[in-house]
Structure formats: structure tokens, C-alpha cells
Amino acid sequence: MKINIAIDGPSAAGKSTIADLLAKKFHLTHLDTGAMYRCCAFAADQQGISLTDEAALSELVKHLDIRFDDNKQVYIGDKNVSVEIRNNDISMAASKVSAFAGVRKALVAMQQEIAEEKGYILDGRDIGTVVLPDADVKIYMVASVEARAKRRFNEYVQKGISADYDTICQDIVQRDYQDTHRKESPLKQAEDAIAVDTSNLTIDEVVEKISMIITDTCG
Ligand code: DC
């Protein structure tokens, strides 16, 4: 289907999982834009660039060779960074680097270029508002802090990563605050986006609900 879909919402709302399943169902390509901000934070850490040095971060991101393969793996150049970019420190660092206009400008341009041909489902914070204001379908996925923290906690336990529920809750609240209060493209629902609250829904139910919205909108 030659359409573009935008999915936005706060951290740990399940956007990436749902976008992946919808991409398979509707034969679209999923672009996880959060992974791109994570790559920027990871590369800054590797190169000893301070998370407050906007000029250096903006320069870094311009030359960052971010790639995705068909198996959901993320690369910087030839290095597979899929696991490293998911750790908690990088989550927090990604939220910080994403506040800078220079970083956003470069990554938004890359995202728009990728999605230009249509056939994409992008998930992030500013897809419906900035990256793809003309997306065919816009979804704003929300869930309570408790529901999101519980999912993240279970995910860590399943992967054998040690996790503390209260710390996860605090991190989610802090990231929500940072993402919604920054000056540059803060997280907010696009006027024409449809809100989907996933707090009490299973993954299958969310996919079903959004699939109906896609079919109703695009035929
Ligand atoms: O979706 P995520 O948790 O992987 O995103 C990591 C951080 O990147 C998040 O805290 C905010 C930022 N981000 C953004 O500002 N804009 C996007 N389109 C995607 C992510």
C-alpha cells in the first residue's frame, strides 16, 4: 500500500512493537525514528562528546551513518549497535540530545528523505506534527505510566536484565517531562491524529484497533 502512517506517543507506550506488526500486516516498512536519536546519543558517548554541547552534537549527527537492515538491526557504519542503544543510560541521553534543534534538523531531513516514496510507517514523537504532516493516517498512542512501567519491567525480566520497577516508573515520568517540555518539536498530539489508549489493551487488540482505523481511512 502506498501510504505513510505516523505513530507518535510517549516512551514505552508500545509504539515500536505495534508499528512493526502493522508494517507486516499492511506491507509497509517500519522506521523507528527513536533508534536514530539513540544512535546519536550512543555515538556522542563513544566519542566523548558532552550531552550539553549542541554544536558538537549537531555536527556529529550530520556525519552519522545510521543504517537499518530487514531484521530490525541498527548499525552505525558497520557496527551493529542494536543492543547497546536500548540500555537505560542511552534512553535518557537520547531524550537529552533530541532537545537540540541542530540534531533534530538533520534527523528529520533523513526521515523525510526515507519516507518520500511512501509505503512507510514511522514511529516517534514528532512524526504527525513535523516529519510527515501529510501522513495518510496519524495515531497518537498513549498509556498510563503504570501500564508502561509494567510492560518495560516484564520486558527486562524476560530478557534477563535486572530491573527495578520504581526506577523504571521514575525514568518514564522524567522522559515524558523532557519530551513534552522541550522547545523544539515537543511531544504533542497532532490536531488530526487519532488517540489510542493502550493501557488496558493487549498487543493484538491494539493492532486490531489501529488496523480498523487504517482500513476505514485508506480503504
Ligand atoms: O522512542 P524512543 O524511546 O526510542 O526514543 C528515544 C528518545 O528520542 C525519546 O526520549 C525522544 C526522542 N525522540 C524524538 O525526540 N523524536 C522522535 N521522532 C523519536 C524519538
Side-chain angles (χ1 to χ4, degrees):
M1 213 189 306
K2 281 288 177 197
I3 57 167
N4 275 339
I5 299 177
I7 300 195
D8 291 299
S11 58
K15 299 184 298 292
S16 199
T17 307
I18 299 298
D20 238 4
L21 292 167
L22 289 169
K24 288 200 183 84
K25 190 163 171 178
F26 290 93
H27 308 291
L28 300 165
T29 304
H30 171 209
L31 179 66
D32 173 359
T33 64
M36 299 170 85
Y37 290 91
R38 288 171 181 271
C39 282
C40 175
F42 177 78
D45 181 53
Q46 294 276 297
Q47 297 181 29
I49 295 173
S50 159
L51 295 179
T52 57
D53 188 343
E54 177 167 8
L57 291 166
S58 305
E59 199 50 37
L60 165 81
V61 76
K62 273 193 221 158
H63 307 288
L64 209 54
D65 181 18
I66 304 171
R67 294 162 197 230
F68 295 89
D69 72 9
D70 296 338
N71 297 315
K72 287 183 63 184
Q73 300 298 299
V74 189
Y75 298 81
I76 298 177
D78 293 333
K79 184 177 162 56
N80 187 333
V81 295
S82 314
V83 175
E84 284 123 308
I85 61 165
R86 297 286 155 202
N87 81 38
N88 226 21
D89 290 347
I90 297 294
S91 300
M92 203 51 83
S95 176
K96 291 194 172 129
V97 302
S98 71
F100 292 126
V103 171
R104 301 202 71 82
K105 195 171 163 218
L107 291 182
V108 166
M110 282 183 213
Q111 292 154 15
Q112 288 175 329
E113 200 182 316
I114 292 171
E116 197 176 30
E117 296 229 328
K118 289 215 171 190
Y120 282 86
I121 179 162
L122 271 65
D123 83 279
R125 305 292 189 287
D126 59 343
I127 309 303
T129 50
V130 177
V131 181
L132 302 176
D134 297 328
D136 301 274
V137 180
K138 295 183 186 178
I139 304 293
Y140 193 73
M141 262 176 70
V142 291
S144 67
V145 170
E146 293 72 25
R148 290 185 280 149
K150 222 156 93 186
R151 287 181 200 152
R152 214 11 70 98
F153 180 78
N154 290 337
E155 187 185 315
Y156 283 150
V157 170
Q158 257 176 20
K159 288 183 183 160
I161 302 170
S162 71
D164 173 58
Y165 177 81
D166 290 337
T167 309
I168 294 174
C169 264
Q170 284 161 17
D171 284 354
I172 285 177
V173 170
Q174 189 184 339
R175 279 218 286 155
D176 280 359
Y177 185 87
Q178 284 172 193
D179 294 347
T180 50
H181 285 78
R182 67 180 180 221
K183 208 170 102 241
E184 300 297 331
S185 315
L187 167 67
K188 66 167 191 238
Q189 182 175 347
E191 270 176 27
D192 50 351
I194 299 172
V196 175
D197 186 334
T198 71
S199 305
N200 299 310
L201 300 178
T202 63
I203 290 175
D204 286 349
E205 286 168 338
V206 179
V207 170
E208 188 57 35
K209 194 166 182 157
I210 300 180
S211 296
M212 274 165 59
I213 296 171
I214 296 171
T215 323
D216 281 353
T217 315
C218 304

